Amino acid sequence: MKNLKHIINAILGVSLVCSSVTSFASSAKSTVDERPNILVILTDDMGYADVGFNGSTDIKTPTLDALAEKGTTFTAAYNVHPFCGPSRAGLMTGRYPHKFGSQFNLPRSSRAGGLGIPLEETYISKVLQDAGYFTGAVGKWHLGEKPEFHPNNRGFDEFYGFLNGGHDYFPSKFKAKYDKDVERGFNHAIFGYLKPLERNGKEVEEKEYVTDGLSREAVSFIEKAGEDKKQPFFLYLAYNAPHSPMQAKQEDMAQFPEITDKKRKVYAGMVYAVDRGVKRVVESLKATGQYENTLIVFLSDNGGKPKLGADNAPLRGRKGSAYEGGSRTPMFFHWPKQPISGKIFTHPVSTLDFYPTFAELARATIPEKKKLDGKRLFNHIMSDTNPRGDEMLYFMRHRKGFSEVSGVKNNWKVANISGNKWQLFNLANDIGETKDLSAKYPNMVREMVAELEDWSWTHPQPLWFHIHEEGVQWREMAMPRFHETFKVTN
Ligand code: CA
């Protein structure tokens, strides 16, 4: 990672994306690199109302709440997609995953069927690595498992975690099951959630509750980064909590004696373990002198599943939905060195925006041919202006024989959830999408639907399907059937 190019970049800050960035990250004229560290903390399937800073009344998240209070909280932050794989693909590539055939989760089969996010989509991690950042990914990957799709080959110097879409939490249990399957001669047939974790491609034996193991590894990365202040770091800490399987430590659940619902209690314990982990991470940033100049971004990858104990209130819908509950996520930015403390940012932002925003902060060069769908956020945070003006944010999730689609433009939201009826909501006073205003503003519906339709024609056929049967249905039903999706009958 420390080749000559990196060192030159670090010292001279030569690869400017845009000169205006100097207002956010001091010009690196000295030998000390003053570009910020960037730490993304992603939770998995966490509901809108499942952290204190975003309205939870029963789940305690003291560390996250304290960071949110001292940072900028986003009230209209969106994931690119309402479930895991495409959401993460959007974050890493800065593009709608629909545009490069990655609309579905990778196949559930062993080794993800050998598939992964197309290599021509340069990840933000690679751009930051090339700009001289020390880069690490800890936790869930879910973007391809073959060597060419591995984090170490997509811009991460260090990786600790697991490559598939989830993992069991208690090593004593998952290791016993795994050992039994190995004894039975299984290899390809072993469920990915039971497999050993890995470090840079080599299997390791994780001995801690997985959330604690990931926190430990994040701390270890931060300590390593702290040894050489000349090189800023980018850490992508992707906790699988509170994604299923629902498994919490007794001591974490004991934090919530007032929660009587069993599912909610387990879920609360899993979220609390993340908060404990973030506390350790913050302490390590302080201990290594990196706290002041680290941008911490916290969010979930998509909405929660109420049947597993999550709460998306006051939003309508849940994980997988094109209603707000699918993609609107609690989010904050925290960065002591910048005056963003105490701000509440209400304009719509997307994880698509991370790529150009981080590249700007790092004064990194984005490959000339790289296409991006996001916006640079910092000027807008400082001036409290809408990063995308009248541009729409698009959401599309394919179902059996139809698609759930929605679009958000300023405060307006148009949505087709059932496949045959368009609704219109004013999110400014109806965040819960309860009052359909489509009959009152038919022209606005037509205009917004037409814009969504234009966007949809940029999508190639999906490169894969999560479940084989989905692919069969897709072909048999002549999907995507956009001629039906974008018909406005009301
Ligand atoms: Ca997820």
Side-chain angles (χ1 to χ4, degrees):
M1 69 205 173
K2 284 192 194 174
N3 59 31
L4 189 60
K5 186 174 83 173
H6 291 165
I7 291 167
I8 291 172
N9 270 344
I11 294 172
L12 301 176
V14 287
S15 36
L16 289 171
V17 162
C18 164
S19 57
S20 68
V21 71
T22 47
S23 55
F24 310 122
S26 314
S27 175
K29 282 176 188 160
S30 67
T31 51
V32 176
D33 193 325
E34 292 182 0
R35 296 176 296 171
N37 305 304
I38 300 169
L39 166 57
V40 174
I41 304 174
L42 190 69
T43 54
D44 198 352
D45 291 11
M46 191 183 73
Y48 196 68
D50 291 334
V51 282
F53 75 85
N54 217 46
S56 180
T57 52
D58 57 351
I59 299 180
K60 284 181 285 190
T61 50
T63 310
L64 295 170
D65 299 351
L67 290 170
E69 200 184 322
K70 284 182 276 172
T72 294
T73 304
F74 297 81
T75 62
Y78 291 96
N79 297 118
V80 186
H81 196 86
F83 56 74
C84 308
S87 170
R88 287 149 200 265
L91 191 159
M92 283 294 168
T93 64
R95 291 186 80 197
Y96 288 103
H98 315 75
K99 291 187 179 176
F100 46 89
S102 307
Q103 303 95 315
F104 287 84
N105 275 334
L106 283 159
R108 207 158 46 180
S109 58
S110 176
R111 310 295 295 174
L115 298 161
I117 306 304
L119 299 175
E120 52 269 29
E121 295 298 330
T122 306
Y123 286 1
I124 182 60
S125 43
K126 181 74 174 72
V127 165
L128 296 176
Q129 186 182 51
D130 285 349
Y133 271 60
F134 175 42
T135 55
V138 172
K140 164 167 156 176
W141 184 238
H142 210 192
L143 298 168
E145 302 183 29
K146 280 184 65 173
E148 60 265 43
F149 303 118
H150 190 279
N152 289 143
N153 287 322
R154 303 215 71 170
F156 288 104
D157 298 318
E158 304 277 346
F159 173 65
Y160 184 93
F162 48 90
L163 297 173
N164 58 50
H167 210 280
D168 275 42
Y169 292 85
F170 289 106
S172 58
K173 290 181 184 159
F174 68 72
K175 188 171 184 310
K177 284 188 202 162
Y178 174 79
D179 288 346
K180 204 172 169 187
D181 279 355
V182 171
E183 247 174 60
R184 289 150 96 184
F186 290 176
N187 181 14
H188 289 279
I190 299 176
F191 185 39
Y193 283 31
L194 306 176
K195 289 179 178 174
L197 276 68
E198 65 153 271
R199 183 192 309 284
N200 299 327
K202 291 198 181 73
E203 284 186 3
V204 293
E205 193 182 335
E206 176 57 65
K207 296 210 160 101
E208 292 191 79
Y209 177 68
V210 164
T211 301
D212 292 337
L214 301 181
S215 302
R216 178 199 67 230
E217 292 298 322
V219 166
S220 150
F221 176 88
I222 288 164
E223 286 171 353
K224 203 167 169 183
E227 287 166 15
D228 180 8
K229 304 291 193 308
K230 286 185 184 138
Q231 193 182 21
F233 73 76
F234 171 56
L235 175 60
Y236 172 66
L237 172 53
Y239 285 110
N240 53 316
H243 190 287
S244 61
M246 307 315 286
Q247 298 168 351
K249 288 169 102 170
Q250 283 300 335
E251 67 226 56
D252 289 331
M253 288 189 284
Q255 293 288 327
F256 305 98
E258 66 286 0
I259 298 180
T260 50
D261 180 86
K262 276 186 190 165
K263 281 181 185 165
R264 183 72 174 164
K265 205 182 190 75
V266 174
Y267 181 93
M270 293 170 81
V271 173
Y272 189 74
V274 169
D275 194 80
R276 281 194 295 102
V278 175
K279 189 174 182 213
R280 288 170 64 188
V281 165
V282 167
E283 281 164 2
S284 73
L285 286 170
K286 287 179 177 169
T288 54
Q290 300 179 101
Y291 178 72
E292 290 292 317
N293 200 23
T294 297
L295 167 65
I296 302 176
V297 176
F298 175 86
L299 75 163
S300 174
D301 72 333
N302 51 252
K305 288 172 101 167
K307 68 175 180 183
L308 297 181
D311 184 358
N312 298 306
L315 307 182
R316 186 171 181 179
R318 56 193 66 81
K319 175 182 183 179
S321 170
Y323 280 131
E324 294 287 288
S327 287
R328 194 166 178 138
T329 177
M331 184 167 97
F332 66 76
F333 280 15
H334 175 275
W335 186 6
K337 211 174 172 182
Q338 287 298 322
I340 59 168
S341 177
K343 285 180 188 281
I344 294 173
F345 196 77
T346 58
H347 303 290
V349 297
S350 164
T351 52
L352 293 167
D353 303 333
F354 289 1
Y355 198 118
T357 300
F358 296 168
E360 180 178 50
L361 296 176
R363 299 196 290 277
T365 303
I366 295 171
E368 230 170 78
K369 286 185 182 164
K370 178 78 182 89
K371 292 176 185 161
L372 290 173
D373 292 324
K375 307 289 177 192
R376 291 195 293 258
L377 290 180
F378 263 90
N379 272 329
H380 297 284
I381 294 172
M382 306 312 285
S383 60
D384 194 20
T385 50
N386 188 337
R388 42 187 43 78
D390 278 339
E391 263 181 55
M392 190 181 277
L393 276 170
Y394 311 108
F395 304 91
M396 177 180 284
R397 183 262 161 93
H398 301 300
R399 290 198 182 269
K400 186 180 172 183
F402 70 99
S403 303
E404 278 193 38
V405 195
S406 63
V408 172
K409 186 191 269 199
N410 291 310
N411 289 318
W412 293 96
K413 161 100 173 249
V414 71
N416 184 346
I417 305 296
S418 58
N420 55 26
K421 185 182 185 324
W422 284 95
Q423 298 169 290
L424 180 73
F425 304 103
N426 183 354
L427 299 175
N429 54 32
D430 183 22
I431 196 179
E433 298 171 280
T434 59
K435 285 178 225 114
D436 177 11
L437 302 172
S438 59
K440 197 173 173 189
Y441 303 105
N443 290 345
M444 195 188 311
V445 173
R446 279 175 197 283
E447 171 59 21
M448 287 178 79
V449 172
E451 191 176 337
L452 270 163
E453 183 171 11
D454 281 353
W455 169 72
S456 75
W457 289 114
T458 64
H459 305 176
Q461 288 287 311
L463 290 173
W464 55 73
F465 297 89
H466 183 46
I467 300 163
H468 192 63
E469 195 185 355
E470 278 178 333
V472 174
Q473 287 165 357
W474 181 274
R475 287 179 283 271
E476 281 179 358
M477 298 177 132
M479 285 292 281
R481 308 187 71 84
F482 284 151
H483 62 295
E484 293 170 350
T485 307
F486 297 103
K487 203 179 206 174
V488 181
T489 52
N490 44 315

